Amino acid sequence: MSRIGVFICHCGENIAGTVDVAAVTKAALDMPGVVHAVDYKYMCSDPGQTMLKDAIVEKKLDGVVVAACSPRMHEPTFRRTAEEGGINPYQCEMANIREHCSWVHEKGAATTAKAIDLVRFQVEKVKRDHPLVPIRVPITKKALVLGGGIAGIQAALDIANAGSPVLLVEKSPSIGGHMSQLSETFPTLDCSQCILTPRMVEVARHPLITLYTYSELEKLDGFIGNFKATIRKKARKIDEKLCNGCGVCQQKCPVKKIPDEFNEGLSNRAAIYVPFPQAVPNKPVIDLANCTYYKTGKCKACEKLCPTKAIRFDQEDQIEVHDVGAVVLATGFKTMPVNNFSEYGYGKYKDVIDGMKFERLASASGPTGGAMKRPSDGKTPQHVVFIACAGSRDRLKGVPYCSKICCMYTAKHAMLYQHKVHGGQATVFYMDVRAAGKNYDEFVRRAVEEDGVKYVRGRVSRVYEDDGQLVVKGVDTLLGAEPVEIRADMVVLATAVQAQNDAEELAQTLHVAYDPYKFFAEAHPKLRPVETNTAGIFLAGACQAPRDIPETVAQASGAAVKVAGLFSQPELTREPIIAVVDRQPPPVFSHCVGCFLCKAACPYQAIEEEQIKNRNGDVLKVVARVNPGLCQGCGTCVSTCRTKAIDLQGFSNEQVFAELMSI
Amino acid sequence: MAEQFEPKITAFVCNWCTYAGADLTGTSRIKYQSNVRVIRLPCTGRIDFMMVLTAFSRGSDGVIISGCHPNDCHYTSGNYHARRRWMVFRDLLDFVGIDLRRVTFSWVSAAEGAKWAELVNEATNNVRALGPYKEIQQLAAAGID
Amino acid sequence: MSSHHESSSAHPSLAARLEKEGEVSVADCYQCGKCTAGCPAAEEMDVAPSQVLRLLQTETPKHEDRALKSLSIWMCIGCETCVTRCPQEVDLPRAMDFLRQEALARNVANQDADDVVAFHKAFLNSVERAGRLFELGMVGEYKLRTGHFFKDMGIAPTMFFKGKLGLFPHGGANKREVADIFARARAVKKESKV
Amino acid sequence: MTDVRVGYYPGCSLQGSSRDFAESLHAVAKALSIDLVEIPEWNCCGASSGHMLDHLLSVALPVNVLLKAKKAGLPQVMAPCAACYNRLATASHEIATSPATKAQVESVLQTSIDKLPRVLNVIELLAQVSERIAPKVTKKFEQTVACYYGCLLVRPAKVTGFDRTEDPVEMDKLVAAVGGKTIDWNFKTECCGASFSISRSSVVGRLGARIMQDAVKRQAEAIVVACPMCHSNLDLRRGEINQQLEHKTDIPVLFITQVIGLALGLPKKKLGLGRHFVPVKFPPRPLAPPAVQ
Ligand SMILES: Cc1cc2nc3c(=O)[nH]c(=O)nc-3n(C[C@H](O)[C@H](O)[C@H](O)COP(=O)(O)OP(=O)(O)OC[C@H]3O[C@@H](n4cnc5c(N)ncnc54)[C@H](O)[C@@H]3O)c2cc1C
Ligand SMILES: Cc1cc2nc3c(=O)[nH]c(=O)nc-3n(C[C@H](O)[C@H](O)[C@H](O)COP(=O)(O)OP(=O)(O)OC[C@H]3O[C@@H](n4cnc5c(N)ncnc54)[C@H](O)[C@@H]3O)c2cc1C
Ligand code: SF4
Ligand code: SF4
Ligand code: SF4
Ligand code: SF4
Ligand code: SF4
Ligand code: SF4
Ligand code: SF4
Ligand code: SF4
C-alpha cells in the first residue's frame, strides 16, 4: 500500500508562468497511490523543505515526488530533506517540469498535459522504489606505488608525508629511473643527481615507506580500498640486513666485462654489482646470467671476501601478499632501440648513439667524467649531428606521435656539447621545434643565438661511415629542399619514447586500459588525467604518455592527492545505484543461469562467478555476483541478461517498465 | 481546419550526456515541440529491446534513443555496447514489424542543448507526417506484449 | 589574385586524382624532405622530389603546371629509395609515374627530357610489336627519335663481338596476345576517363 | 638429390645483352639440380618504361606472365633480372592490395585473377638450395668482393619482403658459402641509375662512380651483382665511370651465378666470362702473408 505525496513547485514564474500548476496538482491527486498533493512557490526554499518534511510525518507518506527543476540540480537536496522527514532518501524522486517542460514549451494545455505525464511517470516509479542504503566499503589506508623513477618517488613521498604507509615496488636493483642517468636537465641545466639523490635518500629513510627493489608485482586482486597485491622479491643473493655496502665484492669479482646498464654500455661492471654509486639501496645484486659460480659451480670469491658474510647463494625469490587501498602506476618508459634505424646503420656504427648514451657521456659521474669522447676511439668529436624525431612522428616505424621531450633534450645536448668542446660544431636536423613550456622556447633560442648551434629543417635519410667519419645525408627544406651532406664525428639520435615492453601485460594484470601504443589510458583526457578507469588505480609520469620531469612530478603529486583524498575518508560511500543478481531459496538459488553474458558486457569487470556450495562443499550452481565495489551502475548487464536475473537498483526493470506502462 | 495529429514520442536518454543536454536546452530557453516524454536511464547500455516495444505498444508513435557520443561515454564503453546492440535491435524491430522510420538514434552531449531541440523537432515532424502508429497498437491490443 | 590552396570543383586537382586513381595521399606528406635527402637523382632535378609533392599540395593550377613541366619527373629513376624511408609512407615513385603520364597526356613534358621520353616510348613500342624487347631495334628507334646517333658507338661494336647485341628480334612471345593487351589497356583507360 | 622445379622468367635482357648471366645461371642450376622451367610464350614485363609511361600496362604485362606460369602448373617463378623481379612482385602486390587495379587488369586480360604464383629473385632461389653448394665446391673462390644488391632487389620492403632492406646479407652469405670474403660497405643498395643506361649515361657514370669508389677503397677485388642492369651499368659503362674517378679502376663485375660457377669448377666458357667489357682477372695472390715491413 503506497502513500505517495506530490509537491509541485512554481519556481516563481519559471514554472507557474507556463504550466497550470493547479491543474497538475489536481491531476496528481487522482493518480492511484497518491494521498497528498500540493503546489508551492519555491520548494527548495527553507519553508518549502519544511513543508515536505512535515507532510511526510503528518500524512504518513512512504514516497514523495517533487515536480520542479532537473534532478541534476536538486535531487540531493530533496533526498536529504526526505530523509530528515523520516523516509529512505531513495524513496524520493523528481519530475523535471522546468528544464524539460516549462522552459522549452509554450504556455498552454499541451505543456500542462506533459507536466502531468512527467509527474505520473515518477509516481509510478516511486511506488516501486525500495529503501536503499549507500554502499559503505572499508578502506585499507596503505598505497602501492609501482615504479621507482621520479614519478614513483614523488608520489610515494607525497602520500607518506600525508600520513599513509606506502609500498614502493621497483623492478630494477635501485630506484631512480631514467632521471638518475641524466646529466643536466632542461630548462635550467641543473644537475640531475643533485636534485634527485636527496629524494631517493628521503624515500629510503621515510618511516612510512617500505622499499621493494628488484621486485615485481605478480598479481593484483580486489577493488578500490581493498586490493590484495602479490609481490615477488627477486633473490639478490645478498642478505640485505648484513650487507653494509662496502663494495669489496664488486671489486674482487673476477667477472668484469659486463656492459654496464646504467652507463648504457659505455663502461663495464662486475657480476656482482651496485648499479651506480648513489644507488638506493646501496646493496649489490648478483647477476646470475654472468656469475661464474652459477655458470660453472666454481668461484665464490665474493662470499670469501665479504667482511660481513652477507652473500647468500641459496637465497630464493620471496612472495609477499599485502593489502592496499590504492595503487599508483609509475612504471615509466623506454626509448626506441637504435637497431630499429636501418637507414642509420642498424646500430652498428659505434658513434651513432641515442640520447641516453649522450647523457652518460655528458654526465660528470659518467664513464668519461663528463668529457666529450666518442665511443669508438675516445676522440673528441669536432662535429656532432643531432637527429630529432628519430622514430617519432614516423608511421613507418609505428610511432606516429610526438615524443614531446626530445626537442628539449636535443637543444640541451647541443648546448652542453658547445659548452664542452670549444670550436666544435653541433648541427640539429629537426622538423618542428616543440618547446611549449615555461622558459622552454627561450632555452632553445639560447642554443641557437648564444651557443651557435646550427638548426637545419629536414629529416636525415641516411647515415654511413666513410674513412672513420660518419656521412649524414640530410636536406634543408628551408632552402627549397636542398640536399645537405655533413661529415660528422658523432651522430646522436633523439629516439622515440615508447611504452615499456611489459606495459600491456601489466595493464592486464591491473585491469587498466591502454592506448594503441601501450601507454596506460587516463579516465578522461582533460578532466581526470591522473585516474584510470579502474577505481583506486592512479597514474603518474611517462607510463601514461611521453613526459618531462616537471610534468611527471606535477602528475605524481596529483595522483598522490587523489590517494590521500581517498584515504582521508573513514570509509567509502557510494550511491547504491548498482546492479544485483537475485538470490532465491534453494533449490533455485538464483534465476541466473550462469551464461555470463553480463560478465562479458560489463565495462568494469564488476561481475564475478560465484559457486553456490552445499555443506559438503560440492558446487551446486555457478551464478553471477556483482562486486559492489567495482560496479558503477551503468546497467549494461541488465539489458544483456535474458533471464532478468540481474537488475539495477534505482533503475530496476520494474520501475522503468512501470513508467512506460503509464505512457 | 481539421485538428492536427499530435504524435506521442518517448525518448530514452542517458543521464550524463543527453539528459544533461536537454537540461541545457531548458536553461538556454530554446523552444521545441512538447510531444516528447523523457525516460531517464543511467546509460544507453541500460536500454533493452523490450523497453522500445513496450513504449510502442503503450501508444507511442515514435521513439528517440540518445546517449553520449562514442568515446565520451561516462561508463567508458557502455554506449559501444548499446551501439552494437542497436544493430541487433534494428533487425529485431524490423522482424517484429516495427516501422524503423519511427525510431531515431542520435548522440547529444551535455553541451548540445540546441541539438536536442532540433532532434526532438525533427523526430516529431517525421512521425507526425507518418501519422498515428495504429498497426502496432492494434497488434498490442491483440496481445503481442 | 593567386588563389593558393584553392581549385575549381569542375576540374579535380591532381592531388585529388592521385588519391583516387593512384592511391597516393599527397596530403600525408609533411615536407620533412627525407625523400629528397636520399634520392640518387636529386642532383639532376630542377624541383626536389619533396617539393614536387608540395606543388601538388597547393592544389592550384599554377603549381600543378610547374610539377608537370618539371624535369624532375623524368629524372626520377624509380629506385624506390624514397618510399622505403618515408615516415609517412607516401608512395612518391607512384606519384612520379602519375605525373609523367599526365604530362604526356597534356603534351607538356619538359623538352629537356625528350631523350628520356623517347627512350621509354621506343622501349614500349618495341614490346608492343614483338611481345619482347628487341634491344637493337629499340636502340635504333631511340636514336632515330633523338638524333643521338653516335653517342654509344664506342660500346656497340664491343657488345656485338661479345655476343651481347642480337641482330634479330627474339621469337617466342605470343605477339598477337601482347598487342591485344596494349590495345585493351588503351580502351580500358579511355573508358575510365569518361 | 631431388630436383627443385621452378618457373623461369628470363626477361628480355637475359636473352640479349646479358647472355652471360643466362649462361652462368643455367650452368649453376644444372650443377645444383635446379630445374628451370621456362614459362611458355612469356612476354616482356614492361620494365621501368612500363610503369613510367603506363601504369595499367605495368601491372597487366607481368600479371599475364604470372598467369601463364600458373597455367603451366608452376607455383613459384624466378626472375633473375632484379628489374623484372621487382615488376613481377609489384604487380602481384598491387593485385592483392588494390581492388580497382585488379578489376582493370582483369578486363585488359579478359580473365579473372586469383592467387598468383610466388615471385622469387635469384638470390632467394639459391638460398633455398644453399646447403647443396658447399659440398660441391671444388675450387674455393678466394677473392674479397663487394656484394652489390642495387635498389630493385630489396625495395620497397612491403613489396619484396626480401632480406634486410638497408643492409641485405643474403648474397654475402652465398659468397661466403663458396669461400669468398665480402666487405662491409655503404653502397650495397644505392641506385646505379638503372634504366638511364642509354638515355642518360652521364647519370649512370656519376652514380656508378660513387659505388665503385667505395668498393675499391675498401679493398674489394670485384663487384658481385644479381641484376643485368647493375652489371651493364658498372661493366659496360666503366668508361663513363672512370671519367668521374680520380683513380681509375679495372676491377671486374661478376654475376653471383658466375662466382658460384667458378667455385663449382664449371668451365669459364659456360659461365659467359668472356663476354664482359672489363676483363675478369684477379691480381695474383701471394702464397704466404707479406713480410712485415
Ligand atoms: C635522453 C633523455 C634526456 C632527458 N632529459 C630531460 C631533461 O633534461 N629534463 C626533463 O625534464 N626531462 C628529461 N627527460 C625525461 C625524463 O627522463 C622523464 O620525464 C622521467 O624520467 C619520467 O619519469 P618516470 O618516473 O615517469 O619514468 P622512469 O624514469 O622511466 O622510471 C620508471 C621506473 O619504473 C621502473 N619500472 C618499470 N616497470 C616496472 C614494473 N613493471 N614494476 C616495477 N617497476 C617498474 C623502472 O625500472 C624505473 O625505475 C629526458 C629523457 C631522455 C630519454
Ligand atoms: C582561444 C583558446 C582556446 C583554447 N582551447 C583549448 C582547448 O581546446 N583545449 C584545452 O585543453 N585548452 C584550451 N585552452 C586553454 C584553456 O582555456 C586553459 O588551459 C584553462 O582555461 C586554464 O584554466 P585556469 O583555471 O588555470 O585559468 P582561467 O580559465 O583563466 O580561470 C582563472 C579564474 O580565476 C579568476 N580570477 C582571476 N584573478 C582573480 C583574483 N585575483 N581573485 C579571484 N579570482 C580571480 C578568473 O576570473 C577566472 O575565473 C584554450 C585557450 C584559449 C585562449
Ligand atoms: S662485500 Fe659484502 S658487505 Fe660489502 S657490499 Fe658486498 S655483500 Fe655488501
Ligand atoms: S661468485 Fe659470482 S659474483 Fe661472486 S665473485 Fe664469483 S663471479 Fe663474482
Ligand atoms: S619533441 Fe620534437 S624531436 Fe621529439 S618527436 Fe616531438 S617534434 Fe620530434
Ligand atoms: S606560441 Fe602557440 S602557436 Fe606559437 S608555437 Fe607556441 S603553442 Fe604554437
Ligand atoms: S546474464 Fe543473467 S543469467 Fe547470465 S550470468 Fe549474468 S545474471 Fe546470470
Ligand atoms: S551495472 Fe554496469 S558496472 Fe555494474 S555490473 Fe552491470 S555492467 Fe557492470
Ligand atoms: S619523406 Fe615522405 S613525408 Fe617526407 S617529404 Fe618525402 S614524401 Fe613527404
Ligand atoms: S624513386 Fe625517384 S624520387 Fe624516389 S628516390 Fe628514387 S629517383 Fe628519387
Side-chain angles (χ1 to χ4, degrees):
Chain A
M1 258 325 293
S2 320
R3 295 183 60 81
I4 308 298
V6 181
F7 301 81
I8 294 119
C9 183
H10 296 194
C11 197
E13 279 297 289
N14 279 312
I15 295 171
T18 317
V19 171
D20 181 349
V21 286
V24 178
T25 313
K26 192 164 160 293
L29 274 173
D30 289 340
M31 295 175 193
V34 174
V35 296
H36 178 70
V38 288
D39 55 275
Y40 187 71
K41 205 157 185 71
Y42 288 110
M43 277 307 299
C44 61
S45 67
D46 264 353
Q49 293 192 40
T50 309
M51 189 180 88
L52 184 112
K53 272 187 273 192
D54 292 349
I56 292 172
V57 179
E58 283 163 24
K59 308 282 174 186
K60 300 194 171 49
L61 302 180
D62 56 11
V64 296
V65 172
V66 181
C69 54
S70 170
R72 296 172 55 88
M73 179 96 189
H74 271 316
E75 195 175 69
T77 317
F78 292 117
R79 284 197 164 159
R80 204 180 329 111
T81 314
E83 190 175 21
E84 286 163 16
I87 59 172
N88 183 281
Y90 296 93
Q91 289 178 304
C92 166
E93 300 286 350
M94 288 190 73
N96 183 349
I97 60 168
R98 191 178 76 177
E99 282 85 344
H100 285 195
C101 190
S102 69
W103 275 352
V104 289
H105 306 314
E106 306 298 337
K107 181 175 179 166
T111 302
T112 300
K114 175 168 177 178
I116 293 169
D117 280 352
L118 295 182
V119 170
R120 185 171 350 92
F121 288 1
Q122 296 312 313
V123 168
E124 290 305 315
K125 186 177 183 203
V126 81
K127 281 197 273 186
R128 291 158 180 88
D129 270 344
H130 296 286
L132 299 176
V133 255
I135 300 167
R136 294 175 198 284
V137 205
I139 306 175
T140 307
K141 295 182 181 177
K142 191 199 282 179
L144 170 70
V145 175
L146 268 184
I150 181 60
I153 290 173
Q154 183 70 32
L157 286 173
D158 284 348
I159 297 168
N161 287 337
S164 301
V166 177
L167 309 178
L168 177 55
V169 175
E170 164 61 48
K171 185 161 69 172
S172 67
S174 170
I175 58 171
H178 284 97
M179 188 176 168
S180 63
Q181 292 176 275
L182 303 182
S183 53
E184 293 168 23
T185 54
F186 64 77
T188 45
L189 290 189
D190 37 9
C191 145
S192 185
Q193 288 194 337
C194 309
I195 54 181
L196 179 66
T197 322
R199 299 249 163 137
M200 290 166 60
V201 173
E202 207 182 327
V203 165
R205 293 223 186 104
H206 204 294
L208 287 177
I209 299 179
T210 316
L211 194 52
Y212 288 88
T213 49
Y214 210 46
S215 302
E216 277 169 45
L217 179 76
E218 289 238 312
K219 204 160 85 151
L220 187 78
D221 298 314
F223 52 91
I224 182 168
N226 301 275
F227 295 108
K228 245 187 205 350
T230 308
I231 299 167
R232 173 182 292 271
K233 284 191 72 178
K234 287 178 284 183
R236 279 179 181 263
K237 307 290 178 185
I238 304 290
D239 185 330
E240 285 187 59
K241 288 200 190 72
L242 292 179
C243 168
N244 63 13
C246 69
V248 167
C249 51
Q250 65 178 359
Q251 280 159 21
K252 301 294 179 192
C253 172
V255 181
K256 287 264 184 316
K257 289 259 155 70
I258 315 299
D260 184 334
E261 293 84 358
F262 183 76
N263 279 332
E264 298 286 332
L266 289 169
S267 64
N268 294 327
R269 61 161 172 82
I272 183 167
Y273 70 105
V274 177
F276 54 103
Q278 302 84 344
V280 170
N282 183 18
K283 313 271 155 123
V285 52
I286 296 182
D287 165 3
L288 303 188
N290 289 302
C291 163
T292 316
Y293 172 64
Y294 283 96
K295 290 206 301 212
T296 68
K298 289 207 191 73
C299 182
K300 291 200 175 186
C302 50
E303 187 184 51
K304 268 174 242 128
L305 295 166
C306 169
T308 64
K309 299 287 163 235
I311 309 286
R312 293 284 176 278
F313 289 114
D314 57 356
Q315 195 178 58
E316 300 278 339
D317 289 6
Q318 280 164 20
I319 305 285
E320 292 184 13
V321 181
H322 291 273
D323 287 327
V324 294
V327 180
V328 177
L329 258 174
T331 50
F333 68 103
K334 70 156 207 238
T335 50
M336 188 183 271
V338 282
N339 59 16
N340 274 35
F341 295 87
S342 53
E343 70 276 40
Y344 305 154
Y346 295 94
K348 77 178 175 191
Y349 305 127
K350 278 195 173 152
D351 295 327
V352 176
I353 63 173
D354 67 1
M356 221 55 216
K357 251 192 186 141
F358 188 91
E359 292 288 343
R360 296 314 299 146
L361 279 180
S363 171
S365 70
T368 60
M372 263 308 132
K373 290 181 181 166
R374 65 178 192 174
S376 64
D377 54 9
K379 286 198 188 125
T380 301
Q382 294 305 315
H383 198 155
V384 179
V385 167
F386 293 88
I387 301 180
C389 300
S392 306
R393 309 171 67 190
D394 190 332
R395 279 186 207 165
L396 191 69
K397 293 203 161 53
V399 177
Y401 55 84
C402 162
S403 291
K404 197 169 181 185
I405 57 171
C406 15
C407 273
M408 287 304 292
Y409 78 59
T410 296
K412 172 183 81 175
H413 289 173
M415 204 184 251
L416 290 175
Y417 169 77
Q418 294 292 34
H419 293 174
K420 285 174 191 281
V421 181
H422 297 285
Q425 182 60 55
T427 303
V428 177
F429 281 94
Y430 74 104
M431 293 213 299
D432 300 280
V433 173
R434 296 187 171 168
K438 191 171 183 164
N439 288 324
Y440 281 19
D441 204 52
E442 296 90 318
F443 182 82
V444 177
R445 290 313 305 163
R446 208 166 85 213
V448 177
E449 293 165 14
E450 290 173 24
D451 298 313
V453 177
K454 291 249 181 298
Y455 270 68
V456 181
R457 193 200 172 279
R459 272 197 188 246
V460 170
S461 177
R462 211 178 153 215
V463 176
Y464 61 87
E465 203 216 283
D466 186 38
D467 283 342
Q469 272 196 315
L470 294 162
V471 182
V472 180
K473 288 183 70 177
V475 65
D476 189 334
T477 61
L478 301 181
L479 287 178
E482 194 175 289
V484 181
E485 210 170 277
I486 294 180
R487 294 183 81 84
D489 302 314
M490 189 163 86
V491 171
V492 185
L493 307 181
T495 49
V497 171
Q498 292 185 292
Q500 296 275 19
N501 292 333
D502 63 353
E504 187 169 14
E505 206 181 313
L506 190 60
Q508 281 161 358
T509 307
L510 295 164
H511 291 302
V512 301
Y514 49 93
D515 69 20
Y517 311 104
K518 316 286 192 298
F519 287 111
F520 303 133
E522 62 280 9
H524 188 282
K526 286 174 281 287
L527 297 180
R528 294 169 71 201
V530 302
E531 292 157 77
T532 65
N533 269 317
T534 306
I537 303 186
F538 304 94
L539 293 172
C543 60
Q544 185 212 355
R547 299 202 176 292
D548 59 16
I549 297 164
E551 275 187 313
T552 297
V553 171
Q555 204 194 9
S557 291
V561 166
K562 291 280 173 190
V563 173
L566 174 67
F567 289 178
S568 72
Q569 293 163 262
E571 55 189 3
L572 286 172
T573 52
R574 303 199 20 245
E575 284 269 290
I577 311 297
I578 56 164
V580 281
V581 182
D582 75 351
R583 287 294 180 268
Q584 305 287 335
V588 177
F589 303 111
S590 168
H591 290 131
C592 169
V593 297
C595 67
F596 296 108
L597 288 174
C598 53
K599 187 176 175 187
C602 174
Y604 296 95
Q605 279 90 30
I607 297 178
E608 308 162 346
E609 301 185 11
E610 180 178 332
Q611 298 180 333
I612 295 180
K613 295 179 183 163
N614 65 12
R615 241 178 278 142
N616 302 333
D618 307 325
V619 178
L620 300 176
K621 193 170 180 183
V622 181
V623 296
R625 194 188 89 87
V626 176
N627 183 326
L630 294 176
C631 173
Q632 304 288 314
C634 68
T636 305
C637 53
V638 181
S639 53
T640 314
C641 178
R642 298 200 196 122
T643 64
K644 298 292 159 227
I646 193 165
D647 209 347
L648 185 65
Q649 297 189 147
F651 290 94
S652 66
N653 280 322
E654 192 193 1
Q655 290 177 312
V656 178
F657 281 96
E659 283 186 52
L660 288 170
M661 294 305 280
S662 72
I663 290 176
Chain B
M1 198 178 80
E3 205 183 295
Q4 183 175 238
F5 159 64
E6 285 306 334
K8 267 195 190 178
I9 311 280
T10 304
F12 296 93
V13 308
C14 79
N15 186 35
W16 305 98
C17 292
T18 304
Y19 194 92
D23 277 358
L24 178 63
T25 322
T27 38
S28 329
R29 310 293 202 278
I30 301 168
K31 298 279 184 278
Y32 57 88
Q33 300 178 45
S34 62
N35 306 54
V36 68
R37 304 289 183 267
V38 164
I39 305 283
R40 177 165 73 120
L41 296 169
C43 175
T44 43
R46 175 70 183 87
I47 304 170
D48 79 32
F49 174 67
M50 280 310 293
M51 291 180 186
V52 180
L53 273 194
T54 309
F56 279 123
S57 72
R58 299 300 299 176
S60 297
D61 303 296
V63 161
I64 292 173
I65 295 174
S66 176
C68 309
H69 286 263
N71 288 328
D72 267 352
C73 178
H74 180 81
Y75 299 102
T76 350
S77 55
N79 64 358
Y80 277 113
H81 287 279
R83 258 202 310 177
R84 230 186 299 147
R85 233 184 0 261
W86 291 351
M87 307 294 162
V88 185
F89 253 43
R90 289 182 73 89
D91 295 346
L92 275 176
L93 290 170
D94 208 20
F95 181 72
V96 299
I98 300 283
D99 181 349
L100 289 179
R101 291 171 301 173
R102 295 178 183 271
V103 189
T104 311
F105 293 101
S106 187
W107 293 298
V108 174
S109 78
E112 295 174 320
K115 184 174 174 194
W116 171 249
E118 279 163 31
L119 174 67
V120 171
N121 285 337
E122 203 181 298
T124 310
N125 293 341
N126 287 345
V127 175
R128 187 181 288 116
L130 290 170
Y133 201 10
K134 293 210 196 76
E135 304 85 334
I136 190 80
Q137 282 135 29
Q138 280 156 6
L139 277 177
I144 61 147
D145 63 347
Chain C
M1 193 192 74
S2 102
S3 54
H4 202 62
H5 295 277
E6 198 182 281
S7 68
S8 73
S9 51
H11 298 284
S13 67
L14 290 181
R17 284 182 45 205
L18 249 171
E19 174 109 48
K20 202 167 137 268
E21 297 167 32
E23 291 158 24
V24 181
S25 179
V26 173
D28 286 4
C29 167
Y30 54 28
Q31 289 295 309
C32 70
K34 193 172 187 178
C35 48
T36 302
C39 174
E43 262 178 60
E44 326 279 334
M45 295 182 174
D46 52 349
V47 181
S50 52
Q51 298 259 298
V52 170
L53 288 175
R54 182 69 197 139
L55 290 170
L56 302 189
Q57 283 177 339
T58 68
E59 299 191 68
T60 56
K62 178 176 138 195
H63 295 128
E64 290 181 342
D65 241 39
R66 246 173 75 197
L68 290 172
K69 290 178 180 159
S70 72
L71 185 60
S72 303
I73 58 177
W74 298 105
M75 288 290 112
C76 163
I77 311 165
C79 70
E80 314 262 346
T81 308
C82 47
V83 60
T84 300
R85 297 182 187 150
C86 169
Q88 290 289 88
E89 302 177 276
V90 178
D91 195 341
L92 180 50
R94 186 79 178 78
M96 292 287 198
D97 287 348
F98 175 88
L99 291 172
R100 282 186 277 259
Q101 288 156 38
E102 189 64 19
L104 288 183
R106 294 194 193 179
N107 212 1
V108 294
N110 191 307
Q111 291 186 353
D112 289 342
D114 280 352
D115 48 348
V116 179
V117 178
F119 170 80
H120 294 309
K121 283 191 171 163
F123 189 105
L124 283 189
N125 283 343
S126 168
V127 175
E128 184 170 4
R129 274 195 302 270
R132 295 182 189 167
L133 178 70
F134 168 40
E135 285 165 326
L136 193 59
M138 184 263 288
V139 171
E141 182 182 340
Y142 167 72
K143 292 194 174 199
L144 283 176
R145 277 171 183 256
T146 59
H148 295 170
F149 211 82
F150 297 104
K151 200 159 147 247
D152 273 330
M153 284 310 259
I155 59 168
T158 323
M159 281 180 80
F160 176 68
F161 288 114
K162 300 229 175 208
K164 286 197 154 209
L165 211 50
L167 285 178
F168 305 102
H170 315 289
N174 187 335
K175 289 190 201 173
R176 247 256 92 77
E177 182 191 62
V178 174
D180 282 354
I181 291 177
F182 273 76
R184 272 196 303 272
R186 276 185 207 110
V188 167
K189 266 187 297 180
K190 214 178 220 162
E191 228 167 82
S192 70
K193 288 260 157 57
V194 279
Chain D
M1 204 163 359
T2 50
D3 271 16
V4 174
R5 191 164 171 273
V6 61
Y8 172 52
Y9 177 70
C12 305
S13 53
L14 265 80
Q15 280 199 327
S17 53
S18 298
R19 280 170 62 182
D20 32 10
F21 193 9
E23 287 160 350
S24 56
L25 173 66
H26 285 292
V28 167
K30 190 159 168 243
L32 297 177
S33 305
I34 300 172
D35 186 9
L36 296 175
V37 185
E38 185 163 334
I39 298 167
E41 293 195 330
W42 59 266
N43 54 264
C44 171
C45 66
S48 357
S49 301
H51 77 82
M52 289 196 178
L53 295 197
D54 192 327
H55 176 249
L56 185 51
L57 270 183
S58 79
V59 184
L61 290 171
V63 168
N64 196 48
V65 172
L66 291 173
L67 288 174
K68 283 180 188 296
K70 192 173 173 179
K71 213 162 134 199
L74 299 163
Q76 41 181 12
V77 168
M78 191 275 291
C81 165
C84 299
Y85 161 72
N86 192 279
R87 288 328 305 163
L88 260 50
T90 303
S92 216
H93 182 79
E94 276 215 40
I95 293 295
T97 55
S98 165
T101 307
K102 183 171 177 231
Q104 285 196 333
V105 172
E106 284 178 338
S107 74
V108 170
L109 301 181
Q110 300 196 308
T111 174
S112 69
I113 305 168
D114 54 325
K115 210 175 162 340
L116 291 171
R118 194 173 152 221
V119 181
L120 298 176
N121 60 46
V122 69
I123 307 286
E124 280 174 303
L125 176 66
L126 291 171
Q128 279 184 8
V129 296
S130 62
E131 75 291 348
R132 293 183 185 179
I133 298 174
K136 294 195 167 238
V137 171
T138 57
K139 191 164 155 264
K140 275 194 173 178
F141 180 80
E142 288 190 313
Q143 261 60 44
T144 300
V145 300
C147 286
Y148 176 65
Y149 295 75
C151 40
L152 298 172
L153 216 51
V154 284
R155 283 197 290 258
K158 66 173 186 243
V159 171
T160 64
F162 164 67
D163 210 342
R164 309 203 306 173
T165 316
E166 298 279 357
D167 182 23
V169 292
E170 290 295 329
M171 199 186 332
D172 292 66
K173 285 191 200 159
L174 291 174
V175 172
V178 297
K181 281 204 202 63
T182 58
I183 58 161
D184 185 15
W185 63 312
N186 292 316
F187 289 84
K188 274 185 177 179
T189 64
E190 208 77 355
C191 178
C192 63
S195 61
F196 275 134
S197 188
I198 291 176
S199 56
R200 281 293 157 100
S201 48
S202 60
V203 175
V204 173
R206 179 174 65 79
L207 297 175
R210 299 183 55 162
I211 294 165
M212 293 303 298
Q213 191 177 23
D214 194 51
V216 170
K217 196 155 74 184
R218 288 167 201 269
Q219 259 86 60
E221 295 163 310
I223 310 263
V224 181
V225 300
C227 168
M229 282 202 297
C230 298
H231 192 269
S232 70
N233 283 347
L234 298 180
D235 179 61
L236 266 176
R237 295 287 170 195
R238 186 62 61 85
E240 275 93 340
I241 289 173
N242 272 338
Q243 270 171 30
Q244 312 252 345
L245 285 177
E246 207 180 309
H247 305 287
K248 318 248 171 281
T249 172
D250 61 354
I251 65 169
V253 184
L254 280 78
F255 287 105
I256 180 68
T257 41
Q258 293 175 320
V259 169
I260 294 175
L262 282 173
L264 299 182
L266 304 176
K268 287 197 177 176
K269 198 147 187 210
K270 287 208 159 175
L271 297 175
L273 285 165
R275 299 189 194 276
H276 289 208
F277 196 80
V278 179
V280 180
K281 51 174 200 268
F282 300 105
R285 225 160 240 293
L287 288 174
V292 189
Q293 287 160 12

